């Protein structure tokens, strides 16, 4: 086992035992340690690392809490066996033959509202990371400093493209995404939602047909509905994402005006499109001059630690509108997002002005400071290790508690899992009964333009594992029977 | 003269001489003191008020700087004569006979961009108040406090309707507007722009006809264009606003789906619709079940100190969508606005979610604190006195420097004036030539769906009068010849 990680100077405030637990957890995530492997004895690890016995013990307890390790009486600590518990993944999602208007199930909006505004509920519905996993104290501290020091902050409207300091930081980060973008290639937005909204408005008009993944994030479907567009649902493979052959077929048979996709850790299934697929996708669309609206909000949260490139990295003609935000990694409530709209920049900028003039300056400034200060990479490194472990724990719990034959997606990043329950036929009903029991989930049909996936639910894995969540998963399993 | 004002305990930080100048300025604004009236001698006022001679002198110098008073050698201080310099107001705006798609003049967006992003230019283009007149230090201080104290601030999305604390404050303030609204009657937005955007989306679909004032704020026309609507332009009287007989005619002849109006200090002409007109307007629309999207961003800035009621105050059927913001009174860059959408609340809330999920929490919290702390009324009282004086100074300067026959609106609130230049036929050309000379203005045609008003420009009066601005007005006068 490498020792470099623990002994290196780490400027962040996490405790030694947490770092040790993170490191061991990562070895499990990466498959170096597997289910059933014995962990080093407390004494041996203490000597090897030059840390106290108490520190090692605390790390092991933490790993137990996270469901990664288990203590066996008189034998020591072991990596929890997974193979038996690891559930099968859903089959390739089903295919839509023809374009359809997005139809909202009666009451679906109430369901979304319950899911999002559901304070006090067990938070398995809305896709956000638990506050305690986010660097809110630091970010809020930077906001306080920005507000204290910028005497005239907020006087006058911001630049139409957004705060320059933030766009500079985004241009700097874009290099890590494998793209080359300059500060003027960005327009900042109110989260990625507004970025997608403006992008769709810029490249389509009501009645147009667009291609979307199936299942797709319900927020995107609501946008499509709101814009009066029709959607062709393209099946999405749980591992490699959008089925490009199916997309190719669709492009041949219908006048598709834009494609909407999340190549990196698509919500809800968590697929990651291989680079060669991204390249093929962009080439296919460039040839036909069809814009790609790319949702990359989960890109920084790869479980294996390698930040995948966005499809934008393969864009030579400016047809990709890359949408991102800090909502999944720093602070959803700051509503800071952006779009790099390629050749549609002027159109997007014009729409941004018409819709909301500009975004708020103070929150953008604070995020720019956070990105500039250099703590972002370290934070994200830690966050994705935690999320990888949580994802696995949730998956196993679902396998334990749900009926035989249940399939669970095996995401490669992000913090949602997609659960396919054999024989179940009414996920909306399941959601309502879960709400009655104080549990929020997202029902399958809201992820489809035609209300498919009645046998599926999406479960958020963004909250640390607790007995309360375990009980909620058990309750859901009962309700699913 | 009453003495109560100066001797009372004033908790704000303005200096004694500023308060004295404000008080005298208010007497001028209210017409108690008129142009040519002699002000009390320095010594006499000093004795009357029990303040130092230096304080009175400083107040008089300040009033001179504001253009309210003038010193006459060996004679004392006088209220500056106005009647001679006061320019005539524009005639009733012209009428459009039939609905038209909003057509953007070639390059109009560049003009808007130059106007808004025109840093370094003399700021007569964009309608915002100079930063030094806004309580930014206090607001930013509250934001800093909110950020410091709210450890988990920004974790999780805000409520779909917006931060509860802010909505509570808005409900409290609504009483002062003469309306009764509860916290759940509001949806917070990214400034009034997003409020109008969501409102329009909620009550129309592409191709619909809507009625707008003429001239109308160009941002609204851009929204109408972006939504694919057609506009009927209704003439607007420079004093009483929307011509209700003309509107009634329009409603009889075309299937108008919504009316968009700014009853209080409409931008660009600054008209204020009398209460009886507001009541008639709302009744007329209620009978026909036509929603009114009401822009009330300038409502708090009445020069005579009386906050006019919004049309919403007469709404018994929930057909008025009242849009407001703090952009004109506190901080444009905070982007905090709201809509009280009446019976369209659920539709607006759903659109808000689709477009941007929610608004940022920190900026909303800071504004809620500002409204709660009680400094808002005091600030606005002061601001509107200053703006009233500025408006008059700008109007007189325009009368001095522009060609004979130029008409200038006499707004009753807000901080823009509408200038009609006899014989001029190319306000866009004037804008371009002004830009060359480092001066931003807003050309008339961007305020019309059919690019009318080529002989008009809008001039912002939101910045304190300086020699630089006087020179710019003189330059504009030259260019207009």
């Amino acid at each position: 086992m490498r020792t470099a990680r623990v002994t290196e100077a780490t400027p962040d405030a996490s405790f030694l035992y947490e770092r040790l637990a993170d490191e061991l957890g990562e070895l499990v995530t990466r498959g170096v340690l597997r289910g059933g492997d014995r962990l080093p004895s407390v004494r041996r690890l203490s000597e090897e690392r030059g840390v106290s016995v108490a520190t090692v013990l605390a790390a092991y307890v933490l790993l137990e809490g996270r469901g990664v390790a288990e203590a066996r009486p008189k034998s020591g600590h072991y990596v929890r066996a997974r193979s038996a518990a690891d559930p099968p993944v859903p089959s390739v999602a089903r295919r839509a033959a023809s374009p359809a208007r997005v139809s909202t199930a009666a009451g679906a909006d109430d369901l979304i509202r319950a899911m999002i505004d559901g304070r006090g509920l067990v938070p398995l519905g809305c896709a956000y990371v638990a506050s305690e996993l986010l660097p809110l104290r630091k970010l809020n501290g930077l906001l306080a400093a920005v507000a204290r020091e910028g005497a005239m902050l907020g006087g006058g409207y911001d630049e139409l493209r957004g705060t320059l300091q933030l766009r500079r930081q985004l241009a700097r980060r874009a290099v890590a995404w494998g793209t080359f973008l300059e500060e003027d290639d960005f327009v900042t937005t109110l989260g990625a939602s507004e970025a997608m909204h403006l992008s769709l408005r810029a490249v389509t008009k009501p009645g147009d047909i667009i291609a979307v993944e199936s299942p797709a994030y319900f927020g995107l479907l609501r946008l499509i509905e709101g814009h009066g567009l029709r959607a062709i649902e393209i099946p999405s493979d749980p591992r490699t994402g959008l089925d490009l052959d199916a997309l190719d077929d669709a492009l041949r048979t219908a006048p598709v005006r834009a494609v909407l996709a999340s190549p990196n850790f698509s919500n809800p299934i968590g697929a990651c499109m291989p680079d060669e697929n991204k390249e093929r996708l962009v080439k296919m669309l460039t040839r036909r001059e069809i814009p790609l609206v790319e949702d990359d909000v989960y890109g920084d949260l790869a479980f294996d630690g390698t930040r995948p490139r966005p499809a934008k990295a393969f864009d030579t003609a400016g047809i990709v509108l890359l949408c991102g935000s800090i909502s999944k990694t720093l602070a959803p409530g700051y509503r800071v997002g952006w779009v790099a709209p390629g050749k549609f920049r002027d159109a997007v900028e014009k729409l941004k002005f018409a819709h909301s003039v500009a975004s708020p300056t103070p929150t953008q400034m604070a995020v720019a400071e956070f990105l500039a200060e250099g703590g972002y990479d370290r934070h994200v490194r830690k966050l994705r290790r935690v999320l990888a472990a949580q994802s696995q724990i949730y998956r196993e719990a679902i396998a334990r508690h749900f009926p035989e034959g249940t399939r669970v997606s095996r995401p490669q990043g992000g913090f949602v899992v997609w659960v396919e329950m054999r024989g179940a036929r009414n996920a909306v009903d399941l959601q309502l009964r879960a709400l009655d029991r104080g549990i929020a989930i997202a029902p399958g049909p809201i992820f489809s333009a035609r209300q498919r996936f009645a046998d599926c639910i999406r479960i958020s894995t963004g909250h640390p594992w607790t007995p309360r969540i375990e009980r909620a998963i058990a309750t859901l399993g009962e309700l699913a029977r």
Side-chain angles (χ1 to χ4, degrees), chain A residues 182-197:
Chain A
E182 300 182 1
E183 58 200 35
D184 281 341
D185 293 329
F186 289 93
V187 176
T188 68
T189 57
L190 214 60
S193 299
E194 197 193 28
M196 309 285 292
H197 170 42

Side-chain angles (χ1 to χ4, degrees), chain A residues 35-60:
Chain A
D37 282 357
R38 191 174 187 278
L39 290 168
S41 74
V42 172
R43 183 166 310 276
R44 194 182 124 209
L45 195 56
S46 152
E47 283 165 7
E48 264 187 24
R49 298 305 180 94
V51 297
S52 71
V53 166
T55 296
V56 176
L57 257 178
Y60 281 4

Side-chain angles (χ1 to χ4, degrees), chain A residues 425-469:
Chain A
R425 280 287 162 259
N426 201 336
V428 169
D429 180 59
L430 178 62
Q431 183 198 17
L432 293 176
R433 286 184 295 140
L435 279 175
D436 276 347
R437 306 284 287 266
I439 304 164
I441 57 167
I446 65 173
F447 297 91
S448 161
R450 294 162 183 258
Q451 302 168 45
R452 290 150 186 265
F453 307 112
D455 55 346
C456 295
I457 58 173
R458 188 194 72 178
I459 286 181
S460 165
T461 63
H463 286 72
W465 190 246
T466 60
R468 180 177 181 235
I469 288 177

Side-chain angles (χ1 to χ4, degrees), chain A residues 31-95:
Chain A
V32 175
L33 289 171
R34 291 167 187 278
D37 282 357
R38 191 174 187 278
L39 290 168
S41 74
V42 172
R43 183 166 310 276
R44 194 182 124 209
L45 195 56
S46 152
E47 283 165 7
E48 264 187 24
R49 298 305 180 94
V51 297
S52 71
V53 166
T55 296
V56 176
L57 257 178
Y60 281 4
V61 168
L62 192 60
L63 286 171
E64 282 181 66
R66 291 180 184 168
V68 174
E70 59 188 3
R72 296 187 191 162
K74 301 192 182 168
S75 174
H77 286 81
Y78 288 80
V79 178
R80 270 184 61 190
R82 310 229 140 161
S83 47
D86 204 45
V89 300
S91 48
V92 171
R94 286 131 283 184
R95 180 153 184 182

Side-chain angles (χ1 to χ4, degrees), chain A residues 193-242:
Chain A
S193 299
E194 197 193 28
M196 309 285 292
H197 170 42
L198 298 176
S199 296
L200 263 187
R201 287 288 306 266
V203 302
T204 66
K205 53 182 198 311
D208 280 353
I209 296 170
I210 65 163
V212 291
E213 293 156 309
S214 181
Y217 166 51
F218 60 84
L220 297 183
L221 295 174
R222 284 293 163 290
L223 270 184
I224 292 169
E225 183 187 15
H227 291 204
L229 302 169
R230 285 173 296 161
I232 294 189
E233 299 189 290
I234 309 294
S236 194
D237 181 272
R239 285 168 303 109
T240 58
L242 203 61

Side-chain angles (χ1 to χ4, degrees), chain A residues 47 60-61 71 158 171 200 210 219 238 267 285 298 301 324 345 372 380 400 414 425 427 472:
Chain A
E47 283 165 7
Y60 281 4
V61 168
D158 211 323
L200 263 187
I210 65 163
N267 172 1
L285 298 182
Y298 294 100
L301 297 177
R345 192 199 58 188
V380 163
R400 279 198 303 281
R425 280 287 162 259

